[in-house]
DNA sequence: GCAAGGTC
């Protein structure tokens, strides 16, 4: 992207100066000046206008149904100016290849690393851009109010570029605000800064790199593997192949089990089982020797009894990803469904904005009116009343703050919702009330016993006060009653056995796990993760079975194996790739590297990989022929495939299951359910 | 058709 830097950017030319740069501007307004403010989204524009004008503004419609202009007077440095507050709708522009390279057959995919790109304003944004151009005609100053994050800076750059088409030399201010609160907003208005050109360039770099690499690898794969997969229209995207699985080899182990059964009058007998401190042994002879000693001297001695207070912490304030993580687990909906419903609840005014990273409440946040509102609810009204009557405790503070929105919380009362809407609303309310409550309290007893040379342990838990658990029903803290043991006490175990089992592979990923992993690896953002997961499923890299678990398709496995064989697994799979790009982007933001430099370096890295893949494409083909199996994928889709290397879902082993089981193990190792001849698919004719 | 980032 090339926009002509205005006068205030000129001293940025030496990027070495960047780190010492004071971005403050001296806001000089002459009488009757006009300021055009542009926010990132309509909500923010309205909110800021309300604050600056103390809700005294005139509203004007634009060519876009969502975007409005808010007109009011505002005083900066004792000078009153006429302000117009408007917004865009996220990014204003995007890039693509020129028509000469758009068609997949039009060029070699490798050309896409070097070909031209063209920037354009999408159809949806045409009216938004037009509004900017119209408004800037009357303006003396362009004041950027986009979100204060990297993409926000980039969007600001796009706005500047569009406005300078009309007024090439208009002065640009940038608002730096820490929260959508009157204090920070007024402060930002009174202390404008400059737009950070380096960050803008970082965003433009990301955009270009994503397009080039995404398109090149995807076209290469799709065009050359198409003949080998059944659905010839299937697009074989190069992304999202991180759904890899470990080679898991099941091992047999042995362990010693001890239990004590207490008979109680008028009650069922109470059985207390103990865990071996060695957990398990992979050597049968060792285990047998230890077991034999226990059997010959079976009298157990209680060597230690410890009692302590334990608490289960209440949850953090609710942010988007947590809503999706916990929501997919507890509500039996997909992340995407949850977000759609949440968006609807927000539009109808029942909950706050559902897309936020913030998991800490502002010091000025007013909890009581919101809690009060919920006291009339049949299910949790009483609990809410309890909070008001003294059980309230300030919510914990998480570590994220997007400085734009508070954590997700209910904003209006309703008990009239049904279906999924009710589920999501209930979740938001219960979470909110849970956050405002106290941690759950319990008494834990740890009993240690010794038999012969061996030590065993058991834990009992009595829940004393459920507190937040009463209303936040999605957390589970189960009490466990054990017999009352005293130190020094001796008893003969009712059970003393040596059992065998096999280590089982890690559980299959749930959507909740997947969201967590993507978050950890920096894949996508809170706004895009649920979308990516949907894409993975749509492209059939994985299936969702039992409405819960994700299993990779044979196609997904084939691609991962194929890239492993080419020797690119480490460098091409998403997380690593992402980190490298991310590091470079930060350097651009710091003024250490330039956009051109990073593009040159990264593109050449990608080109090398690309060349290697082209060179060894046969290995990819082989992998697909070897692993890809239409019939197996069909079984997997229906949830009946061979879940190679994982627990069989149909045995009903829960997701909280131990990592070991004694029910016998199933398949081992890699995805060989489809192993066999090379008769699948058909070679390209 | 392909990417990832916004937002409605």
């Amino acid at each position: 992207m090339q926009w002509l830097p205005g006068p205030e950017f000129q001293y940025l030319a030496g990027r070495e100066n960047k780190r010492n740069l004071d971005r403050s501007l001296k806001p000089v307004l002459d009488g009757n000046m006009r300021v055009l403010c542009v926010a990132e989204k309509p909500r923010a524009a309205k909110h800021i206008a309300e604050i600056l004008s103390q809700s005294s503004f005139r509203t004007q419609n634009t060519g876009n149904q969502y975007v409005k202009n808010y007109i009011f007077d505002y005083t900066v440095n004792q000078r009153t100016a006429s302000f117009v507050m408007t917004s865009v709708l996220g990014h204003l522009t995007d890039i693509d290849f020129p028509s000469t390279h758009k068609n997949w057959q039009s060029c070699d995919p490798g050309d896409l690393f070097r070909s031209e790109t063209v920037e354009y304003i999408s159809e949806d944004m045409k009216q938004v851009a037009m509004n900017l151009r119209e408004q800037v005609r009357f303006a003396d100053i362009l004041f950027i109010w986009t979100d204060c994050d990297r993409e926000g800076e980039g969007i600001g750059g796009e706005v500047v570029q569009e406005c300078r088409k009309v007024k090439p030399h208009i002065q640009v201010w940038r608002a730096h605000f820490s929260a959508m609160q009157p204090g920070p907003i007024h402060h930002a208005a009174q202390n404008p800064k400059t737009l950070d050109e380096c960050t803008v360039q970082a965003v433009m770099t990301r955009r270009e790199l994503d397009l080039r690499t995404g398109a090149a690898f995807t076209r290469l794969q799709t065009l050359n593997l198409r003949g080998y997969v059944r659905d010839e229209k299937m697009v074989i995207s190069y992304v999202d192949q991180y759904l890899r699985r470990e080679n898991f080899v099941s091992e047999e182990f042995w362990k010693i089990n001890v239990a004590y059964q207490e008979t109680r009058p008028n009650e069922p007998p109470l059985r207390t089982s103990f865990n071996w401190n060695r957990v398990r042994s992979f050597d049968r002879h060792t285990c047998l020797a230890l077991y034999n000693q226990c059997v010959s001297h079976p009298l157990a001695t209680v060597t230690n009894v410890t009692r302590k207070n334990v608490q289960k912490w209440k949850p953090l304030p609710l942010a988007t990803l947590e809503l999706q993580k916990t929501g997919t687990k507890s509500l039996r909906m997909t992340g995407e469904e949850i977000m759609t419903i949440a968006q609807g609840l927000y539009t109808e005014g029942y909950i706050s904005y559902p897309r936020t990273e913030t998991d800490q409440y502002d010091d000025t946040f007013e909890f009581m009116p919101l809690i009060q509102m919920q006291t009339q609810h049949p299910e949790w009204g009483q609990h809410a009343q309890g909070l008001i009557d003294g059980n309230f405790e300030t919510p914990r503070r998480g570590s994220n703050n997007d400085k734009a929105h508070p954590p997700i919380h209910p904003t209006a009362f309703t008990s009239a919702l049904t279906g999924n809407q009710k589920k999501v609303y209930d979740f938001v309310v219960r979470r909110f009330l849970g956050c405002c409550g106290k941690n759950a309290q319990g008494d834990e007893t740890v009993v240690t016993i010794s038999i012969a040379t061996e030590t065993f342990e058991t834990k009992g838990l009595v829940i004393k006060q459920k507190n937040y658990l009463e209303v936040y029903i999605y957390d589970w803290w189960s009490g466990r009653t054990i017999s009352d043991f005293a130190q020094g006490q001796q008893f003969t175990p009712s059970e003393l056995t040596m059992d065998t089992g096999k280590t089982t592979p890690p559980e299959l990923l749930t959507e909740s796990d997947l969201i967590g992993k993507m978050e950890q690896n920096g894949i996508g953002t809170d706004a895009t993760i649920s979308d990516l997961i949907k894409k993975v499923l749509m492209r059939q890299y994985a299936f969702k079975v039992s409405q819960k678990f994700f299993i990779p398709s044979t196609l997904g496995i084939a691609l991962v194996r194929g890239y492993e064989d080419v020797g690119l697994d480490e460098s091409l799979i998403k997380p690593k790739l992402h980190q490298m790009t991310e590091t470079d982007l930060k350097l651009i933001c710091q003024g250490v590297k330039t956009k051109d430099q990073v593009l040159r370096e990264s593109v050449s890295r990608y080109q090398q990989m690309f060349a290697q893949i082209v060179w060894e494409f046969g290995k990819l083909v082989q992998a697909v022929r070897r692993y890809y199996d239409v019939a197996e994928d069909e079984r997997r889709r229906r949830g009946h495939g061979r879940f190679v290397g994982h627990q069989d879902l149909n045995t009903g082993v829960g997701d909280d299951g131990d990592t070991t089981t004694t029910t016998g193990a199933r398949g081992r190792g890699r995805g060989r359910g489809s192993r066999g001849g090379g008769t699948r698919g058909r070679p390209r004719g």
Side-chain angles (χ1 to χ4, degrees):
Chain A
M1 173 186 104
Q2 59 282 57
W3 105 55
L4 297 172
E8 72 273 25
F9 288 141
Q10 282 170 6
Y11 59 96
L12 270 182
R15 37 194 176 83
E16 305 312 323
N17 295 333
K18 167 103 203 259
R19 265 158 290 183
N20 303 321
L21 184 66
D22 174 12
R23 307 198 148 277
S24 300
L25 281 175
K26 195 166 182 195
V28 181
L29 282 179
D30 292 334
N32 297 326
M33 268 198 148
R34 286 163 300 192
V35 179
L36 174 62
C37 303
V38 185
E40 185 164 323
K41 45 200 159 226
R43 281 294 306 180
K46 187 172 186 198
H47 202 146
I48 297 164
E50 278 167 352
I51 291 171
L52 293 181
S53 72
Q54 281 155 351
S55 293
S56 166
F57 53 76
R58 198 157 58 78
T59 307
Q60 187 184 53
N61 283 324
T62 72
N64 180 288
Q65 59 166 319
Y66 303 111
V67 176
K68 310 265 188 258
N69 299 330
Y70 302 100
I71 302 154
F72 55 93
D73 285 342
Y74 187 71
T75 306
V76 181
N77 248 359
Q78 284 137 13
R79 301 277 191 154
T80 300
S82 170
F83 271 53
V84 175
M85 182 87 218
T86 187
S87 78
V88 284
L89 293 163
H91 283 286
L92 194 60
T93 63
D94 202 357
I95 53 168
D96 204 348
F97 297 109
S99 52
T100 48
H101 291 71
K102 256 189 189 160
N103 188 297
W104 288 35
Q105 318 290 340
S106 65
C107 67
D108 185 296
D111 294 348
L112 300 176
F113 287 113
R114 283 285 170 214
S115 85
E116 292 284 302
T117 58
V118 285
E119 191 180 68
Y120 66 97
I121 297 176
S122 71
E123 211 48 49
D124 299 347
M125 297 297 160
K126 288 252 163 77
Q127 301 296 326
V128 179
M130 169 131 53
N131 180 51
L132 286 182
R133 291 196 305 268
E134 274 170 14
Q135 292 302 319
V136 82
R137 264 182 239 287
F138 310 112
D140 303 297
I141 287 166
L142 174 60
F143 203 170
I144 303 295
W145 286 83
T146 47
D147 293 357
C148 293
D149 54 24
R150 193 165 73 196
E151 291 299 321
E153 210 70 15
I155 292 167
E158 294 168 45
V159 170
V160 170
Q161 179 181 246
E162 190 61 21
C163 290
R164 285 202 165 141
K165 287 181 185 167
V166 175
K167 276 209 176 152
H169 300 295
I170 190 167
Q171 192 183 359
V172 176
W173 293 358
R174 167 67 159 134
H176 277 193
F177 48 101
S178 54
M180 283 285 185
Q181 299 290 333
I185 291 295
H186 281 293
H187 185 267
Q190 301 291 333
N191 299 280
K193 315 277 178 184
T194 59
L195 194 70
D196 184 353
E197 163 76 353
C198 292
T199 304
V200 174
Q201 292 307 311
V203 172
M204 299 307 140
T205 309
R206 179 207 43 79
R207 184 171 79 164
E208 190 175 326
L209 216 47
D210 284 345
L211 175 69
R212 290 190 189 283
T213 55
F217 285 103
T218 302
R219 285 192 197 177
L220 175 74
Q221 262 191 185
T222 306
L223 293 173
N224 293 288
L225 290 176
R226 205 174 253 177
Y228 302 93
V229 300
R230 187 178 60 167
D231 179 358
E232 297 201 12
K233 286 200 207 81
M234 192 187 294
V235 172
I236 306 169
S237 156
Y238 91 105
V239 292
D240 311 328
Q241 288 169 14
Y242 62 89
L243 261 183
R244 45 184 303 157
R245 306 191 325 157
E246 305 302 320
N247 280 349
F248 188 87
V249 180
S250 188
E251 272 186 284
E252 198 166 17
F253 65 82
W254 290 265
K255 62 177 185 175
I256 303 175
N257 286 320
V258 178
Y260 174 71
Q261 185 151 308
E262 179 189 353
T263 44
R264 303 180 294 183
N266 305 325
E267 273 187 274
L270 176 61
R271 181 177 176 276
T272 304
S273 59
F274 290 82
N275 295 320
W276 192 19
N277 275 20
R278 294 184 205 263
V279 186
R280 57 177 166 250
S281 166
F282 289 103
D283 183 70
R284 183 172 178 272
H285 295 291
T286 309
C287 191
L288 190 59
L290 298 170
Y291 176 66
N292 281 336
Q293 291 202 36
C294 291
V295 172
S296 39
H297 304 91
L299 189 65
T301 307
V302 178
T303 54
N304 199 16
V305 179
T306 318
R307 288 194 174 82
K308 62 177 176 189
N309 290 328
V310 285
Q311 49 179 344
K312 188 167 174 65
W313 286 33
K314 62 182 181 179
L316 284 170
L318 188 61
T320 303
L321 284 183
E322 175 63 16
L323 167 67
Q324 293 181 40
K325 266 191 281 188
T326 313
T328 52
K329 242 192 255 173
S330 306
L331 307 182
R332 288 202 160 254
M333 294 166 70
T334 68
E336 206 234 340
E337 284 169 341
I338 291 171
M339 288 316 291
T340 308
I341 301 275
Q343 186 72 37
L345 289 171
Y346 161 71
T347 313
E348 289 168 52
Y350 292 125
I351 64 172
S352 65
Y353 192 64
R355 278 144 64 171
T356 175
E357 291 171 37
T358 309
D359 54 7
Q360 44 183 241
Y361 282 100
D362 214 80
D363 289 338
T364 58
F365 193 89
E366 300 234 24
F367 295 100
M368 282 308 161
L370 297 176
I371 298 173
Q372 180 68 49
M373 223 182 254
Q374 298 295 337
T375 53
Q376 39 181 326
H377 196 278
E379 288 170 55
W380 55 70
Q382 250 189 326
H383 186 88
Q385 189 59 51
L387 293 178
I388 290 171
D389 296 342
N391 292 335
F392 173 82
E393 220 168 66
T394 310
R396 295 166 56 200
R397 288 179 72 84
S399 53
N400 304 294
N401 195 328
D402 62 17
K403 296 169 182 171
H405 307 282
I408 307 164
H409 64 271
T411 49
F413 175 83
T414 174
S415 54
L417 299 172
T418 54
N420 283 347
Q421 274 205 317
K422 175 175 160 55
K423 279 203 239 172
V424 175
Y425 178 78
D426 285 9
F427 179 77
V428 171
V429 177
R430 288 179 181 278
R431 176 76 171 218
F432 174 72
L433 295 175
C435 285
C436 293
K438 293 177 175 161
N439 293 341
Q441 304 288 336
D443 279 343
E444 188 188 70
T445 308
V446 181
V447 179
T448 312
I449 60 168
S450 68
I451 302 175
T453 57
E454 298 310 294
T455 312
F456 303 82
E457 201 178 271
T458 191
K459 272 184 193 164
L461 174 70
V462 179
I463 298 170
K464 291 291 192 194
Q465 291 169 34
K466 288 187 76 177
N467 291 337
Y468 90 89
L469 288 171
E470 280 174 11
V471 66
Y472 191 67
I473 54 179
Y474 315 97
D475 261 3
W476 190 243
W477 204 30
S478 58
R480 179 168 179 257
T481 311
I482 58 173
S483 290
D484 201 8
F485 295 99
Q487 189 160 344
Q489 179 188 342
Q490 293 193 314
F491 64 88
T492 306
S494 55
E495 294 166 39
L496 180 55
T497 57
M498 180 169 131
D499 298 339
T500 179
K502 279 183 183 174
T503 56
T504 55
E507 260 300 348
L508 289 165
L509 291 180
T510 61
E511 181 156 355
S512 173
D513 301 330
L514 206 51
I515 294 169
K517 281 192 187 301
M518 292 174 74
E519 187 185 5
Q520 275 167 23
N521 288 306
I523 300 169
T525 65
D526 48 355
T528 57
I529 281 181
S530 62
D531 218 53
L532 290 176
I533 290 178
K534 197 175 148 199
K535 224 178 252 182
V536 168
L537 290 173
M538 227 166 57
R539 302 234 170 96
Q540 309 194 4
Y541 296 141
F543 302 115
K544 194 172 188 178
V545 297
S546 303
Q547 297 182 335
K548 188 171 180 181
F549 297 106
F550 286 88
I551 53 167
S553 65
T554 60
L555 175 62
I557 291 168
L559 290 172
V560 172
R561 298 275 178 249
Y563 280 110
E564 272 176 5
D565 292 345
V566 179
L568 285 175
D569 56 323
E570 278 312 309
S571 51
L572 196 67
I573 58 164
K574 219 57 216 309
K576 187 82 173 237
L577 187 116
H578 193 90
Q579 283 159 21
M580 275 159 71
T581 309
E582 198 53 38
T583 308
D584 275 347
L585 293 184
K586 281 192 182 127
L587 290 176
I588 298 179
C589 289
Q590 290 164 11
V592 178
K593 285 189 174 183
T594 64
K595 177 188 171 197
D596 285 348
Q597 193 183 349
V598 168
L599 277 175
R600 252 197 324 274
E601 290 169 4
S602 304
V603 162
S604 114
R605 271 204 301 268
Y606 284 112
Q607 275 179 312
Q608 274 177 29
M609 290 180 205
F610 190 85
Q612 197 177 336
I613 293 169
V614 171
W615 180 248
E616 302 191 65
F617 204 83
K619 290 185 176 172
L620 228 50
V621 172
Q622 267 184 340
V624 169
R625 297 180 71 161
R626 178 167 183 188
Y627 295 107
Y628 178 62
D629 181 336
V630 179
E632 171 65 13
D633 273 353
E634 192 47 45
R635 284 194 291 277
R636 288 180 183 212
R637 187 204 315 282
R638 293 197 312 264
H640 298 297
R642 228 188 278 173
F643 304 118
V644 191
H646 280 288
Q647 294 190 21
D648 190 325
L649 296 167
N650 301 323
T651 58
V653 178
D655 55 336
D656 268 339
D658 205 318
T659 50
T660 64
T661 178
T662 49
T663 54
R666 283 144 293 268
R668 61 190 291 261
R670 31 173 60 195
R672 292 289 165 80
S674 56
R675 189 222 227 131
T679 52
R680 277 157 269 286
R682 59 175 176 77
R684 228 174 174 192

